[in-house]
Amino acid sequence: MAKGKVEPRIFKGTRDLLPETMRLRNRVIGTLRAVFEAYGFEPLETPAFEFYDILTGKSGEEADHLLFPLAYQDGRTLALRYDLTVPLSRVVAMYGKSMAFPFRRYQIQPVWRAEKPQKGRYREFLQCDVDIVGTPAMAADAEILLLASEAMERLGLEGFTAALNHRMIIDGLYERFDVDEKDRIFVSRTLDKIDKVGRDEVRRMLVEGEAGATLDACVADGLLDVLEKADLDAVEEQVRSTNAGARGVTEVREILEMVRVSDTAGRAVRYAPSLMRGLDYYTGPVFEMVVEKPRIGSLGGGGRYDGLVGLFSGEDVPATGFSFGVERLVDALQESRPPGLDARALRAAEILVTVFSPELRPNALAAAQAFRAADLRAELYLGASRKLKKQFDYANKKNIPVVAVIGPDEAAQGAVTLKWMDAGEQETLPLASAPARAKEKL
Ligand code: AMP
């Protein structure tokens, strides 16, 4: 080993994204961006790090353990952002006066969380968020669910469910079952695990006090019975007498009614009474996008957070939104491989323009330019080999489906030979008509 060599390595939970992953990832991001823009959302970016107290603002303890703190030399502490919702709320508080409300923004940026990495859980990951700020109308929440379902469909992911619950229904249930206010957060976190560990284990944790709060066995059973039914009418029976619960049920009904304008969303959106969502800032409807396989947690999640902007602006500003995690979408796509997302569809170049000899390099360059001008992705061969066979091998290795050759005969006639790697067929035609022909057959 050379003296002084530094062992190349990266921190667990962070990743180098090599071209093969990047291609699929860029496809995912491009699709999401197109859907976001189709719904009229505007782009926004914010700094990777913020003042510590901005980030801990509301979630307090919750955010605290997620943060990577950064000490600045002047003694102030900053931290890497752990989501895009808190920075958005700060932005609205700072620039709201010049914004038109309701404000719809999308934001595609990395976030960092000091969590223990595992399958589908990274310490650095890319979130793609959409939020609507400035309206309490459930139509905004319905739009978010329509958008999220459409994004899944356009990505080619099948068998997804957009789970929908409401924080006020949960509050209504707690009120109804006399769960102490201080215990609710612990109970919610435990109930959220039903899908993962099963009802019996959740009951045991609640009754034995392992959750951070202890419930009477009959309260735990009562709660679990209601949640397990997954039926809005049954839940309504329980919570109708509470203000919060009654309002929650009405709002969920409104949303379910509205998303029916789309077949996709109408099928995907389902009331899920045991969905709790981690962060404390949610105040109304909450959402989560899940697929059966792979089991990597939610692909996206969100909800209404009517108090968060006010934390920075001092005024009540209602808001709702959704966040897709790109890593998990990519993992899900890699597993299900819908058509159109195989290595060939995701190749970088569509045509390799070979170089027959150094003298003919200008002709190859001109041909590459002609393909590019026609919106084809063309790579000029830059390797050392002068043998065409080697250049063809290179094209195969890179999954490039068409190879262009300009030898002395072609050069003399202003022509190019196109070879289709799969079929092994080739044809010689005037350079001027080659791009159109390539496009036709690609
Ligand atoms: P959250 O901000 O926790 O509501 O998460 C929203 C979405 O971000 C989730 O549905 C995931 O797709 C993604 N996500 C959350 N935490 C992680 C993580 N540690 N690694 C990768 N993706 C994550």
Side-chain angles (χ1 to χ4, degrees):
M1 206 204 301
K3 217 173 145 205
K5 174 175 173 282
V6 176
E7 193 56 38
R9 64 201 194 280
I10 58 171
F11 188 46
K12 197 165 178 212
T14 67
R15 297 189 310 163
D16 292 313
L17 301 161
L18 299 181
E20 201 181 329
T21 312
M22 276 310 291
R23 274 184 235 132
L24 182 52
R25 203 174 150 92
N26 282 346
R27 180 68 75 96
V28 168
I29 296 167
T31 303
L32 291 180
R33 183 179 287 122
V35 177
F36 295 170
E37 293 186 350
Y39 282 72
F41 285 78
E42 298 195 86
L44 174 80
E45 291 205 354
T46 61
F49 45 87
E50 300 259 359
F51 287 114
Y52 198 89
D53 63 312
I54 295 276
L55 295 176
T56 49
K58 178 88 181 269
S59 303
E61 177 209 341
E62 181 90 35
D64 217 30
H65 75 269
L66 292 178
L67 291 178
F68 284 105
L70 303 165
Y72 192 62
Q73 56 208 26
D74 65 2
R76 287 192 286 181
T77 307
L78 302 136
L80 291 169
R81 60 169 174 241
Y82 68 92
D83 79 355
L84 303 174
T85 313
V86 175
L88 168 69
S89 302
R90 174 190 57 71
V91 163
V92 172
M94 287 173 76
Y95 308 97
K97 291 218 163 21
S98 59
M99 285 173 169
F101 288 100
F103 175 56
R104 296 172 177 240
R105 83 89 178 76
Y106 73 85
Q107 187 166 355
I108 301 176
Q109 287 197 281
V111 303
W112 295 266
R113 294 186 188 175
E115 293 184 292
K116 202 161 167 239
Q118 60 189 59
K119 191 169 161 53
R121 182 177 292 172
Y122 303 93
R123 287 179 168 138
E124 177 182 63
F125 56 98
L126 189 72
Q127 285 198 321
C128 301
D129 281 31
V130 277
D131 290 82
I132 303 176
V133 183
T135 172
M138 286 301 116
D141 302 76
E143 279 254 281
I144 296 278
L145 284 169
L146 286 168
L147 175 154
S149 305
E150 182 166 343
M152 294 291 285
E153 190 182 35
R154 280 218 222 167
L155 286 167
L157 284 164
E158 282 174 359
F160 56 90
T161 303
L164 164 68
N165 197 6
H166 200 297
R167 278 282 164 98
M168 290 183 189
I169 299 184
I170 303 168
D171 285 340
L173 278 173
Y174 289 152
E175 210 177 310
R176 175 74 182 61
F177 283 92
D178 265 340
V179 178
D180 218 73
E181 206 130 337
K182 67 171 185 358
D183 292 338
R184 292 180 181 181
I185 185 148
F186 301 108
V187 176
S188 289
R189 274 182 210 154
T190 313
L191 291 173
D192 205 25
K193 297 194 171 96
I194 290 184
D195 284 347
K196 228 195 245 161
V197 302
R199 173 180 173 145
D200 293 347
E201 177 62 6
V202 165
R203 181 185 187 277
R204 189 193 63 73
M205 290 168 80
L206 290 171
V207 173
E208 292 178 12
E210 207 174 280
T214 312
L215 293 188
D216 277 350
C218 60
V219 170
D221 287 331
L223 269 172
L224 287 165
D225 280 347
V226 183
L227 298 186
E228 212 170 41
K229 275 204 194 122
D231 176 40
L232 191 55
D233 293 332
V235 171
E236 187 177 23
E237 288 271 301
Q238 299 289 336
V239 300
R240 132 174 351 131
S241 58
T242 67
N243 285 339
R247 177 165 163 201
V249 170
T250 307
E251 293 192 346
V252 165
R253 285 233 161 83
E254 258 183 80
I255 294 173
L256 288 171
E257 180 64 36
M258 282 188 271
V259 296
R260 277 206 257 142
V261 298
S262 141
D263 281 350
T264 311
R267 254 181 283 121
V269 179
R270 276 189 221 146
Y271 171 58
S274 62
L275 172 69
M276 300 290 156
R277 300 281 303 142
L279 297 165
D280 303 342
Y281 53 57
Y282 295 111
T283 53
V286 285
F287 332 113
E288 213 158 88
M289 191 60 82
V290 284
V291 284
E292 233 143 69
K293 272 203 290 190
R295 289 179 70 87
I296 43 171
S298 61
L299 302 191
R304 180 164 279 280
Y305 48 98
D306 285 348
L308 193 56
V309 180
L311 184 73
F312 301 111
S313 69
E315 285 162 41
D316 275 350
V317 184
T320 184
F322 191 87
S323 175
F324 275 112
V326 167
E327 280 68 13
R328 293 195 191 164
L329 289 172
V330 168
D331 286 349
L333 284 167
Q334 259 159 351
E335 190 122 330
S336 65
R337 279 283 166 204
L341 281 184
D342 58 8
R344 295 213 142 213
L346 293 170
R347 68 216 154 201
E350 293 161 310
I351 300 191
L352 177 77
V353 183
T354 56
V355 177
F356 191 87
S357 64
E359 302 74 52
L360 289 172
R361 182 172 289 115
N363 302 62
L365 257 168
Q369 290 301 86
F371 290 123
R372 290 165 187 161
D375 265 346
L376 285 158
R377 285 170 280 149
E379 175 177 342
L380 178 73
Y381 181 75
L382 294 177
S385 182
R386 290 179 58 174
K387 290 203 179 94
L388 278 185
K389 164 87 174 55
K390 282 262 164 65
Q391 300 189 33
F392 286 5
D393 289 348
Y394 174 82
N396 273 332
K397 203 166 166 196
K398 290 189 73 175
N399 269 314
I400 301 176
V402 187
V403 166
V405 182
I406 302 146
D409 292 347
E410 285 92 348
Q413 299 165 26
V416 56
T417 295
L418 295 180
K419 183 172 160 86
W420 307 92
M421 301 305 276
D422 258 357
E425 291 164 2
Q426 63 180 56
E427 59 185 300
T428 302
L429 66 173
L431 180 56
S433 51
R437 180 77 182 127
K439 268 193 159 167
E440 194 184 297
K441 279 190 75 172
L442 261 168

